[in-house]
Amino acid sequence: MERSEIPMQAISAEPALREVPLDRHQEFQKFYQENLGLIYRYVYNQVGNGEEAEDLTSQIFLKVVSRIDQERSRLSMQKWLYLIARSTIADYWRARYRLPKSSLDAMLEAGWEGPAEVEVIATSSGAEERVERLLQTLPEKYQEVLKCRFLLKLSVKATALKMGVTEANVKVLQFRALKRAADLEQVVAEQERRSL
């Protein structure tokens, strides 16, 4: 069995089907069977974990059963099913990444000593000077994120704590700083040639 295939017996909306009137039960059962594999594969592609995908797929169909509107067309119900799937997946990721945040002061009071000082050794003084000139041409936030990430070799999390921003913001700042540095590298190289 492929990793993204769904074991049909693993996901069941049977308890919730008791809420569906008997005349609509078979109609819903057919809708469920037609869409179960599609929804499971969609969820699996979003979360990348078979067990989590099974749980989320069950949650999605339980929500559908509890709020089913049989007056909708089949296409409308399928669109509605995917809307529920998207919102359920979004809720899953929100809950998963909602981590407690603590201030640097609280961490220091608790005994954290901060990152160890790292000695930076350049391979040649010319390269070190060139990097320093390049860094000086960047905005202050870009300089700080590059120094933390590459010179001090801090993790994204440690850099975020040091800079007082979110981890996502560190990633964006790092990307933009590297892009700007690459663009400015040609200008710095040209200035070096002129000074020689």
mmCIF file of all heavy atoms in Angstrom, residues 20-27:
data_model
loop_
_atom_site.group_PDB
_atom_site.id
_atom_site.type_symbol
_atom_site.label_atom_id
_atom_site.label_comp_id
_atom_site.label_asym_id
_atom_site.label_seq_id
_atom_site.Cartn_x
_atom_site.Cartn_y
_atom_site.Cartn_z
ATOM 1 N N VAL A 20 -27.982 11.609 10.465
ATOM 2 C CA VAL A 20 -28.515 11.824 9.123
ATOM 3 C C VAL A 20 -29.824 11.048 9.000
ATOM 4 O O VAL A 20 -29.877 9.864 9.348
ATOM 5 C CB VAL A 20 -27.500 11.335 8.057
ATOM 6 C CG1 VAL A 20 -28.066 11.506 6.662
ATOM 7 C CG2 VAL A 20 -26.192 12.071 8.203
ATOM 8 N N PRO A 21 -30.911 11.683 8.512
ATOM 9 C CA PRO A 21 -32.171 10.962 8.335
ATOM 10 C C PRO A 21 -31.979 9.748 7.432
ATOM 11 O O PRO A 21 -31.152 9.758 6.522
ATOM 12 C CB PRO A 21 -33.081 12.003 7.664
ATOM 13 C CG PRO A 21 -32.449 13.316 7.947
ATOM 14 C CD PRO A 21 -30.993 13.059 8.122
ATOM 15 N N LEU A 22 -32.750 8.689 7.666
ATOM 16 C CA LEU A 22 -32.574 7.434 6.953
ATOM 17 C C LEU A 22 -32.684 7.584 5.443
ATOM 18 O O LEU A 22 -31.970 6.923 4.703
ATOM 19 C CB LEU A 22 -33.575 6.395 7.455
ATOM 20 C CG LEU A 22 -33.287 5.854 8.854
ATOM 21 C CD1 LEU A 22 -34.397 4.905 9.298
ATOM 22 C CD2 LEU A 22 -31.950 5.155 8.907
ATOM 23 N N ASP A 23 -33.587 8.448 4.960
ATOM 24 C CA ASP A 23 -33.736 8.603 3.515
ATOM 25 C C ASP A 23 -32.515 9.255 2.884
ATOM 26 O O ASP A 23 -32.257 9.074 1.713
ATOM 27 C CB ASP A 23 -35.010 9.383 3.180
ATOM 28 C CG ASP A 23 -35.025 10.770 3.785
ATOM 29 O OD1 ASP A 23 -34.406 10.962 4.848
ATOM 30 O OD2 ASP A 23 -35.664 11.660 3.188
ATOM 31 N N ARG A 24 -31.742 9.993 3.643
ATOM 32 C CA ARG A 24 -30.540 10.660 3.134
ATOM 33 C C ARG A 24 -29.268 9.870 3.453
ATOM 34 O O ARG A 24 -28.203 10.201 2.958
ATOM 35 C CB ARG A 24 -30.404 12.062 3.754
ATOM 36 C CG ARG A 24 -31.569 12.970 3.543
ATOM 37 C CD ARG A 24 -31.607 13.415 2.124
ATOM 38 N NE ARG A 24 -32.640 14.427 1.972
ATOM 39 C CZ ARG A 24 -32.887 15.051 0.870
ATOM 40 N NH1 ARG A 24 -32.179 14.781 -0.203
ATOM 41 N NH2 ARG A 24 -33.831 15.939 0.788
ATOM 42 N N HIS A 25 -29.406 8.852 4.282
ATOM 43 C CA HIS A 25 -28.242 8.090 4.732
ATOM 44 C C HIS A 25 -27.471 7.483 3.567
ATOM 45 O O HIS A 25 -26.247 7.623 3.479
ATOM 46 C CB HIS A 25 -28.682 6.992 5.703
ATOM 47 C CG HIS A 25 -27.548 6.162 6.218
ATOM 48 N ND1 HIS A 25 -26.698 6.611 7.195
ATOM 49 C CD2 HIS A 25 -27.114 4.925 5.871
ATOM 50 C CE1 HIS A 25 -25.793 5.694 7.438
ATOM 51 N NE2 HIS A 25 -26.026 4.648 6.649
ATOM 52 N N GLN A 26 -28.143 6.830 2.636
ATOM 53 C CA GLN A 26 -27.464 6.208 1.511
ATOM 54 C C GLN A 26 -26.844 7.243 0.587
ATOM 55 O O GLN A 26 -25.770 7.040 0.046
ATOM 56 C CB GLN A 26 -28.421 5.303 0.741
ATOM 57 C CG GLN A 26 -28.690 4.034 1.489
ATOM 58 C CD GLN A 26 -29.332 2.995 0.608
ATOM 59 O OE1 GLN A 26 -29.714 3.282 -0.523
ATOM 60 N NE2 GLN A 26 -29.450 1.788 1.127
ATOM 61 N N GLU A 27 -27.538 8.368 0.428
ATOM 62 C CA GLU A 27 -27.007 9.447 -0.405
ATOM 63 C C GLU A 27 -25.704 9.977 0.183
ATOM 64 O O GLU A 27 -24.720 10.186 -0.524
ATOM 65 C CB GLU A 27 -28.053 10.574 -0.491
ATOM 66 C CG GLU A 27 -27.988 11.358 -1.764
ATOM 67 C CD GLU A 27 -29.143 12.341 -1.848
ATOM 68 O OE1 GLU A 27 -30.295 11.914 -1.831
ATOM 69 O OE2 GLU A 27 -28.840 13.544 -1.906
#
